[in-house]
Amino acid sequence: MKKTIGLLIIVLMLFIAACDDDASSGDSVCEGVDCSGHGVCVEVEGAPSCACAQGYHAEALECVADPGPCDGVDCSGHGTCELIGGDPTCQCDTGFHQVSATECVADNEIPAFSSTPSNTAEAFVEYLYQVACADGDG
């Protein structure tokens, strides 16, 4: 009887120890993962994962800002992109003006000219182009 009780106590201790291991491993899977301060770490199928705040998304174990409409718009290096009416629009630096919503050029810069003949153009035939230039104001 003493052997049976001793064996039962050992089995019970092993069972309790196994339960404690599972509980502590669940807590430690997120240990040290702060999701860049813009989310919380959660355990998904035994691995850490980030649940990010609105406006952020998970990349590996970090929460990074979602791309915005002005991402990648550099205003030709001469302005700042702002959202106007929900669309990216350049506010050009002094001495520059917009040639499109997302491009700034110097006020005294000559606009690029390109000419592509029509599909009906023939080789060795002289074509005349009329070009009108405007001042910096348009």
Side-chain angles (χ1 to χ4, degrees):
M1 180 75 167
K2 287 184 180 183
K3 241 183 185 181
T4 306
I5 292 176
L7 186 58
L8 184 60
I9 291 174
I10 291 173
V11 169
L12 184 60
M13 291 173 72
L14 289 173
F15 180 74
I16 291 172
C19 289
D20 286 345
D21 286 346
D22 288 344
S24 65
S25 67
D27 292 339
S28 67
V29 77
C30 283
E31 188 175 324
V33 179
D34 69 354
C35 299
S36 306
H38 298 289
V40 294
C41 180
V42 294
E43 182 180 342
V44 177
E45 297 179 4
S49 181
C50 287
C52 301
Q54 185 174 358
Y56 293 84
H57 65 278
E59 286 186 11
L61 294 177
E62 295 183 357
C63 291
V64 296
D66 292 339
C70 279
D71 286 358
V73 177
D74 68 354
C75 301
S76 308
H78 302 290
T80 305
C81 182
E82 296 179 5
L83 288 181
I84 297 179
D87 296 320
T89 305
C90 288
Q91 298 299 313
C92 299
D93 297 336
T94 302
F96 294 84
H97 65 277
Q98 283 184 314
V99 291
S100 72
T102 59
E103 186 179 6
C104 297
V105 296
D107 288 341
N108 61 354
E109 186 174 311
I110 298 172
F113 176 77
S114 66
S115 172
T116 304
S118 69
N119 292 337
T120 59
E122 296 178 25
F124 306 111
V125 175
E126 184 177 342
Y127 291 91
L128 298 175
Y129 292 93
Q130 291 182 350
V131 178
C133 294
D135 63 12
D137 293 75

